[in-house]
């Protein structure tokens, strides 16, 4: 009977501590999940406000990602402090662990640093058509560690930010106008003046060709099987691909209708009979 009484007394002594710790743990868990939800909503609201202020989509997404990461770290520390973990020593331990993790995750840190450089230097923005890392596509978004491209055939390409900054970046959308350079060959027995006049007529009748800078058509090479013309015309960047296709088609039809031959590679072999 005395042993039972002692056990009840010990239990009554531990009960307040267990109750206090249980409440602290529950409050800590609530702080974590509610804080995480609030941080997500705040970062999303900040991104919408930035987009509403006509800030580039990539910059807005990157800024909201950083803000969310900082708020999430603060929420974790608050939850641990509520549970009873000494956050001061925890921060020191976290710093030491962060150094070790940083050495192990040099690639990820490099991607993060490159992402910051992309935002600061802005070699491209959301919606630009670029070639980088051996991939071509439209920039969809820029995040902490990766840049997302959408290809012409609607594939999503995810590039590490470090590979983006370490590679050559070709931005086809950097300027509002671009020059189309084409080489068009005619046969040696065709009339050069006629061919030039026909191509001039095609360019003059196309409203997409800009007047300034003016287009240029000139003989650039007397090749093995053809007389080659260089055709250079300025158009809006958005018109370039379709204009190139249309121009080649019109040149072919126009040359065929006017008897201007477009040669194909060939070789003439002359045989001589030995005496």
């Amino acid at each position: 009977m005395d042993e039972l009484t002692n056990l009840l007394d010990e239990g009554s002594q531990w009960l307040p501590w267990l109750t206090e710790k249980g409440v602290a743990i529950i409050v800590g868990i609530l702080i974590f999940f509610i804080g995480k939800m609030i941080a997500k909503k705040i970062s999303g609201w900040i991104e919408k406000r930035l987009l509403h202020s006509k800030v580039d989509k990539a910059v807005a997404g990157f800024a909201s990602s950083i803000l969310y990461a900082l708020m999430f770290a603060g929420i974790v520390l608050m939850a641990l402090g509520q549970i009873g973990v000494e956050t001061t020593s925890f921060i020191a331990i976290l710093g030491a662990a962060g150094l070790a993790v940083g050495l192990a995750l040099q690639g990820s840190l490099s991607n993060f640093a490159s992402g910051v450089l992309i935002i600061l230097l802005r070699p491209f923005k959301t919606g630009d058509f670029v070639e980088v890392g051996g991939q071509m596509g439209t920039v969809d978004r820029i995040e902490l560690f990766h840049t997302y491209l959408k290809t012409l055939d609607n594939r999503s390409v995810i590039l590490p930010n470090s590979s983006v900054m370490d590679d050559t970046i070709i931005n086809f959308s950097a300027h509002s106008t671009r020059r189309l350079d084409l080489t068009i060959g005619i046969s040696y027995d065709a009339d050069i003046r006629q061919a030039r006049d026909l191509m001039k007529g095609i360019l003059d009748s196309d409203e997409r060709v800009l007047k300034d800078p003016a287009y240029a058509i000139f003989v650039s090479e007397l090749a093995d099987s053809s007389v080659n013309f260089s055709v250079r015309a300025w158009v809006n960047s958005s018109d370039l691909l379709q204009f190139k296709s249309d121009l080649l088609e019109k040149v072919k039809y126009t040359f065929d209708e006017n008897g201007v031959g477009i040669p194909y590679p060939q070789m003439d072999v002359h045989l001589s009979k030995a005496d």
Side-chain angles (χ1 to χ4, degrees), residues 64-209:
S64 65
S65 297
I66 294 234
L67 179 62
Y68 176 77
L70 292 175
M71 288 191 294
F72 183 78
I75 290 166
V76 170
L77 291 177
M78 288 174 59
L80 291 175
Q82 177 63 36
I83 292 174
V85 177
E86 184 60 41
T87 55
T88 304
S89 58
F90 181 78
I91 292 173
I93 295 172
L94 190 63
L99 179 61
V101 172
L103 294 174
L105 299 176
Q106 293 183 25
S108 296
L109 293 177
S110 176
N111 288 332
F112 175 79
S114 297
V116 173
L117 288 177
I118 291 173
I119 295 300
L120 294 177
L121 300 178
R122 302 196 61 187
F124 49 76
K125 63 182 184 297
T126 302
D128 284 354
F129 188 78
V130 299
E131 179 179 353
V132 63
Q135 300 290 334
M136 294 180 65
T138 303
V139 179
D140 187 29
R141 65 184 187 275
I142 303 169
E143 294 188 351
L144 289 176
F145 302 102
H146 299 92
T147 294
Y148 293 75
L149 301 182
K150 183 180 289 185
T151 63
L152 292 174
D153 58 352
N154 207 31
R155 289 178 296 130
S156 181
V157 179
I158 305 173
L159 297 172
N161 286 333
S162 59
S163 67
V164 172
M165 291 303 295
D166 291 341
D167 197 8
T168 300
I169 300 173
I170 302 176
N171 190 341
F172 297 99
S173 305
H175 303 286
S176 58
T177 60
R178 286 181 58 194
R179 190 181 75 183
L180 174 66
D181 292 354
L182 284 178
T183 299
I184 298 176
I186 63 172
S187 60
Y188 269 93
D189 57 0
D191 188 329
I192 292 178
R193 295 183 184 86
Q194 181 190 19
R196 183 188 289 111
D197 290 340
L198 291 173
M199 287 186 284
K200 282 183 177 180
I202 294 173
L203 295 178
D204 287 336
S205 63
D206 198 316
E207 297 180 352
R208 292 170 294 185
V209 179

Side-chain angles (χ1 to χ4, degrees), residues 231-269:
V231 180
R232 297 175 179 175
W234 288 86
V235 296
N236 291 323
S237 297
S238 58
D239 293 333
L240 184 70
L241 293 178
Q242 187 61 49
F243 172 71
K244 178 181 179 180
S245 175
D246 293 343
L247 179 60
L248 290 173
E249 184 176 332
K250 288 180 181 178
V251 167
K252 179 63 169 67
Y253 283 141
T254 304
F255 280 7
D256 288 348
E257 291 170 358
N258 291 272
V260 177
I262 298 177
Y264 50 86
Q266 55 184 317
M267 179 182 295
D268 291 335
V269 179

Side-chain angles (χ1 to χ4, degrees), residues 1-9:
M1 189 71 178
D2 292 337
E3 292 180 359
L4 179 60
T5 302
N6 291 334
L7 288 174
L8 291 174
D9 290 338

